[in-house]
């Protein structure tokens, strides 16, 4: 099933997004509701909270007085961490039970207020962040929840800021307009990305653009790579495998196809098969069918075999190259990246070639083959640069 993490700061309108996703057909697991469930009267969770914070956090009926507890923990990091150690494992366990009960073709949305703060982003296929201006959030909290402004400011300050949430977001939904605007954005996300993603994931079908379309360098490519790498690292754990951002999107300022190239290093090519391939596919990176190899440099030295995976996410094409450590193709990918990063002249020459070929050979296979003569020469230049600088992969 497709697992989506949904988060946003207090007062951002995250609940409106989760409600709309539920209307679209998502299975929504609300962590706030679960957090109440695991500390309901008579639960072990409530007993632990009382043991940690005393019965001052209980109301007259013996239920948890959330306002009293909030007054103790907000602004006190140590107290907040004690509370989280009690509630978070229970909420995660209950959420896992509910997800396991969902249909195999479900789109499961985990509504988690502190998703970023507790480092859960890599555990989802996609992370959606609802972002709203702080002034708007303050107005909502004071108007709709009757919260004092100072308390609202304190609650907002206790959470991750917009920059940190934005870094974790595969999808950023802004909610500074009307509810109708927000619903339209959610509906588009559901139909154009989530449903196709789920279908691709279930079928083990990677997304692979057939046409070459160069786009100007995107300064967020490294950040996008970091999110993907964290997801891959989580998928292959406990194995501690090297992951690198390679290809044109790893070279600052270089226009490229909007496809993130990633290299996953394995001890041997046999290690790329079996359980590892299955874990990558389950994480949203299914293998492309057929045999794959890199063109050897210099030509005629025997093909460089690899495994190639893609992304099931239609909104973020990926080429995941799985290569053995210290193999010629593995070394070449890192050398080309680093030489182009270091040599502005060759970077400019490569960009000119890419633009010419994209115009004359717009299909991917022809485009890739047409670059071979340039890379035969670039390989020699890069090797000379490596010898002069002492470069090591």
């Amino acid at each position: 099933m497709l697992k989506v993490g949904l988060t946003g700061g207090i007062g951002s309108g995250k609940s409106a997004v989760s409600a709309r996703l539920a209307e679209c057909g998502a299975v929504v697991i609300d962590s706030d509701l679960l957090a109440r469930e695991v500390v309901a009267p008579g639960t072990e969770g409530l007993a632990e909270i009382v043991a940690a914070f005393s019965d001052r956090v209980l109301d007259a009926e013996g239920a948890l007085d959330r306002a009293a507890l909030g007054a103790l923990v907000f602004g006190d990091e140590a107290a907040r961490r004690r509370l989280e150690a009690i509630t978070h494992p229970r909420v995660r366990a209950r959420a896992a039970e509910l997800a396991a009960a969902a249909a195999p073709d479900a789109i499961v949305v985990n509504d988690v207020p502190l998703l970023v703060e507790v480092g859960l982003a890599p555990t989802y296929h996609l992370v959606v962040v609802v972002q709203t201006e702080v002034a708007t959030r303050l107005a909502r909290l004071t108007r709709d929840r009757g919260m004092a402004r100072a308390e609202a400011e304190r609650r907002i300050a206790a959470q991750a800021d917009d920059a940190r949430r934005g870094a974790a977001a595969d999808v950023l939904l802004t909610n500074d307009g009307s509810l109708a605007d927000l619903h339209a954005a959610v509906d588009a996300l559901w139909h154009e990305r989530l449903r196709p993603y789920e279908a691709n994931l279930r079928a083990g079908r990677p997304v692979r653009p057939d046409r070459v379309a160069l786009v100007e360098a995107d300064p967020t490519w490294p950040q996008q790579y970091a999110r993907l790498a964290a997801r891959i690292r989580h998928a292959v754990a406990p194995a501690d495998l090297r992951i690198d951002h390679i290809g044109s999107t790893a070279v600052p300022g270089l226009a490229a196809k909007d496809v993130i190239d990633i290299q996953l290093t394995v001890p041997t090519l046999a290690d790329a098969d079996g359980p590892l391939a299955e874990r990558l596919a389950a994480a949203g990176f299914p293998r492309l069918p057929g045999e794959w190899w890199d063109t050897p440099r210099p030509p005629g030295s025997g093909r460089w075999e690899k495994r190639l995976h893609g992304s099931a996410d239609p909104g973020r094409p990926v080429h995941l190259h799985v290569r053995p450590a210290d193999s010629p193709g593995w070394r070449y990918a890192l050398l080309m990246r680093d030489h182009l990063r270091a040599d502005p002249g060759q970077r400019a020459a490569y960009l000119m070639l890419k633009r010419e070929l994209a115009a004359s050979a717009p299909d991917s296979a022809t485009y890739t083959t047409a670059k071979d003569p340039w890379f035969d020469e670039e390989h020699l230049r890069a090797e000379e640069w490596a010898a002069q600088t002492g470069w090591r992969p």
Side-chain angles (χ1 to χ4, degrees):
M1 63 188 67
L2 185 69
K3 295 179 290 184
V4 178
L6 172 65
T7 194
I10 186 171
S12 64
K14 177 174 55 62
S15 296
V17 172
S18 66
R20 186 64 172 184
L21 286 169
E23 290 175 7
C24 289
V27 175
V28 175
I29 299 174
D30 188 329
S31 290
D32 272 343
L33 292 179
L34 297 187
R36 294 176 182 276
E37 177 184 315
V38 300
V39 295
T43 61
E44 293 181 0
L46 181 59
E48 276 199 49
I49 287 175
V50 171
F53 299 101
S54 83
D55 57 9
R56 291 180 298 164
V57 299
L58 297 178
D59 62 18
E61 284 73 39
L64 183 65
D65 185 334
R66 301 179 71 85
L69 180 60
L72 289 176
V73 302
F74 282 106
D76 184 337
E77 184 175 354
R80 189 173 74 248
R81 290 189 182 279
R82 284 201 305 274
L83 176 62
E84 290 171 351
I86 295 169
T87 60
H88 287 183
R90 289 178 166 86
V91 170
R92 286 197 295 269
R94 181 60 179 144
E97 289 178 6
L98 294 174
D105 62 349
I107 296 174
V108 177
V109 176
N110 287 80
D111 182 341
V112 187
L114 299 180
L115 183 151
V116 173
E117 289 85 341
V118 298
L120 290 177
T123 67
Y124 299 102
H125 293 107
L126 201 75
V127 171
V128 178
V129 171
V130 186
Q131 186 166 292
T132 307
E133 292 291 340
V134 171
T136 304
R137 294 165 61 191
L138 286 170
R140 288 174 181 167
L141 292 173
T142 54
R143 181 189 66 239
D144 300 337
R145 301 194 192 183
M147 198 177 289
R149 184 179 177 87
E151 177 65 10
E153 290 175 342
R154 193 156 63 105
R155 295 289 184 101
I156 290 174
Q159 296 181 334
D161 60 19
D162 286 346
R164 189 175 169 198
R165 282 198 203 89
D170 299 292
V171 177
L172 195 62
L173 293 176
T174 57
N175 185 26
D176 294 301
S178 67
L179 184 61
D181 292 337
L182 183 64
H183 283 177
V186 173
D187 292 350
L189 171 65
W190 177 262
H191 292 289
E192 297 171 14
R193 191 162 185 180
L194 298 186
R195 287 187 64 185
Y197 193 172
E198 186 282 321
N200 290 341
L201 181 69
R202 186 159 32 93
R205 182 172 53 237
V207 174
R208 194 159 191 244
D210 294 325
R211 306 288 289 177
V212 175
L214 294 185
V215 299
E216 293 305 313
D218 185 341
T220 72
W221 277 335
Q223 194 174 72
Q224 293 181 51
Y225 156 75
R227 290 196 295 270
L228 295 163
R231 204 161 279 146
I232 293 166
R233 191 169 290 110
H234 177 76
V236 303
D240 185 16
L241 303 179
R242 176 173 173 172
I243 305 173
D244 291 280
H245 188 189
I246 59 170
S248 294
T249 62
V251 180
L254 188 61
K257 295 180 294 182
D258 191 16
V259 178
I260 304 293
D261 281 278
I262 301 173
Q263 179 166 273
L264 176 64
T265 304
V266 291
T268 69
L269 204 54
D271 295 300
D273 302 325
L276 179 66
E278 293 170 2
R279 289 200 294 271
L280 290 173
F285 303 97
R287 177 177 290 179
L288 274 73
E291 296 184 356
W292 296 90
W293 60 88
D294 299 305
T295 302
R297 318 282 179 191
S301 58
R303 71 186 190 182
W304 297 343
E305 291 189 51
K306 65 179 177 182
R307 301 291 184 262
L308 184 62
H309 291 243
S311 170
D313 178 7
R316 172 28 64 211
V318 170
H319 288 160
L320 175 57
H321 309 260
V322 185
R323 297 184 175 109
D326 301 317
S327 64
W330 175 88
R331 181 182 183 279
Y332 177 79
L334 298 171
L335 174 60
M336 290 301 101
R337 178 200 65 187
D338 291 351
H339 184 231
L340 288 174
R341 283 176 173 176
D343 190 327
Q346 289 309 119
R347 193 162 61 244
Y350 183 40
L351 176 57
M352 183 179 299
L353 174 71
K354 284 158 68 80
R355 292 195 190 282
E356 291 174 355
L357 293 179
S360 61
D363 64 282
S364 293
T366 305
Y367 174 81
T368 300
T369 303
K371 291 191 294 183
D372 281 346
W374 189 88
F375 271 109
D376 288 340
E377 296 181 6
E378 166 61 9
H379 173 253
L380 300 177
R381 290 187 291 262
E383 288 291 3
E384 183 179 353
W385 169 80
Q388 290 173 348
T389 61
W391 175 86
R392 294 290 182 273

